[in-house]
Amino acid sequence: MHRKCAVLVACILWAISGCAQKQPPDPTANPMPGMNMPGMDKQSSAHAMHSMEGRHMDMGPHMKMTPLRDPKPGDAEQAEKIVEAARQVAEKYRDYKVALADGFQIFLPNLPQKMYHFTNYSYGFEAIYHFEPDHPTSLLYEKHGDGYKLIGVMYTAAKNATTADLDERVPLSIAQWHAHVNLCLPPAGHQKEIFGPNAQFGLSGSIATKQACDAAGGAFRPQVFGWMVHVYPFEKKTEDIWSVGRQMHGHAD
């Protein structure tokens, strides 16, 4: 993962890792990415979600993606309907001020990023239970001067969604959903060990199992937030519209 993104993740985990030694209820139990964590205000919870999304570049033990399936009848048509809905939403929110007025909230506006996420929490909660292509959980923007240019949207699903559930929403022969997994929060006094190339904790850390996390005194989270998939509806080719590579590199600036 790019150093700037790694530092962002590390800083967020530093902030939330104080919960580890207190052993509260699982702060990631909510299946909706971006919804509030116990003991954290709404903004901090949103920042945590954003930092987790930056982990796309490492396909190691802290990241999992749905495998591509063989296409079945109707997949292409279903995907095209989703893209068309996403395109209509994107057209509506080309002006980021309209998105803000409609309840989307921006993460870390003062932190330079390649891709900014504007999230609608009502849509995110809705996405736990059913899929509405015209209600993306997040809008994806690039910073241009003092404004933002919309480049895509992000859909989410519950963290306990099955591959069948995800395939029903967006065909797995077309798109790959991703989730952030095997997080070990550091115990008190070890927050610095989420930094650097030899990090043990966090989403860059060498610890990726509950056994190892318990042995290190950390707090293990099998999965952080829910499933996610990006759509870039202004692109022309299917592989660009559902680009996995663009998701992976979206935060590397």
Side-chain angles (χ1 to χ4, degrees):
M1 179 175 60
H2 193 278
R3 181 179 181 275
K4 184 183 292 186
C5 187
V7 170
L8 173 61
V9 173
C11 289
I12 297 301
L13 292 177
W14 180 297
I16 67 176
S17 63
C19 298
Q21 73 271 18
K22 299 177 184 179
Q23 298 300 318
D26 184 351
T28 63
N30 194 314
M32 164 53 203
M35 298 300 285
N36 289 351
M37 294 180 180
M40 299 174 64
D41 61 29
K42 188 174 183 179
Q43 184 178 25
S44 296
S45 178
H47 292 177
M49 176 200 170
H50 173 79
S51 72
M52 302 312 174
E53 290 172 358
R55 283 298 299 148
H56 296 169
M57 293 193 69
D58 181 2
M59 294 299 290
H62 299 292
M63 175 81 169
K64 67 178 178 180
M65 301 192 75
T66 56
L68 282 173
R69 294 182 172 182
D70 292 333
K72 61 183 185 296
D75 278 2
E77 292 77 9
Q78 180 182 350
E80 182 54 36
K81 289 179 181 178
I82 296 168
V83 172
E84 180 56 34
R87 189 173 294 124
Q88 291 181 18
V89 170
E91 288 289 353
K92 178 180 180 180
Y93 293 119
R94 280 185 183 270
D95 184 344
Y96 74 96
K97 294 178 182 178
V98 176
L100 293 174
D102 277 1
F104 288 87
Q105 300 179 36
I106 184 173
F107 297 127
L108 303 175
N110 297 321
L111 179 71
Q113 306 165 60
K114 185 173 179 62
M115 182 187 296
Y116 292 77
H117 291 65
F118 289 54
T119 293
N120 185 306
Y121 291 96
S122 295
Y123 289 172
F125 184 79
E126 175 185 77
I128 297 173
Y129 303 103
H130 57 93
F131 180 55
E132 295 289 346
D134 57 346
H135 287 178
T137 297
S138 297
L139 304 171
L140 310 175
Y141 291 87
E142 291 178 342
K143 191 72 178 288
H144 283 249
D146 294 329
Y148 298 88
K149 176 184 176 182
L150 191 143
I151 59 171
V153 307
M154 184 179 79
Y155 296 110
T156 58
K159 64 193 289 187
N160 62 353
T162 65
T163 53
D165 295 331
L166 299 176
D167 183 61
E168 184 177 354
R169 294 185 177 211
V170 180
L172 298 185
S173 64
I174 303 292
Q176 289 179 271
W177 294 74
H178 62 268
H180 305 284
V181 298
N182 301 328
L183 169 67
C184 184
L185 293 172
H190 291 264
Q191 288 89 342
K192 290 184 178 180
E193 294 177 38
I194 61 177
F195 292 92
N198 298 316
Q200 292 191 65
F201 302 96
L203 289 172
S204 297
S206 59
I207 298 176
T209 67
K210 186 178 187 306
Q211 181 179 9
C213 187
D214 290 346
F220 188 72
R221 304 292 181 254
Q223 181 170 334
V224 185
F225 307 125
W227 288 92
M228 311 171 195
V229 65
H230 289 191
V231 185
Y232 302 97
F234 296 136
E235 300 296 335
K236 303 301 181 183
K237 298 179 180 179
T238 299
E239 59 267 29
D240 295 329
I241 292 171
W242 302 98
S243 173
V244 172
R246 196 169 182 181
Q247 291 186 58
M248 291 170 63
H249 294 275
H251 299 267
D253 49 3

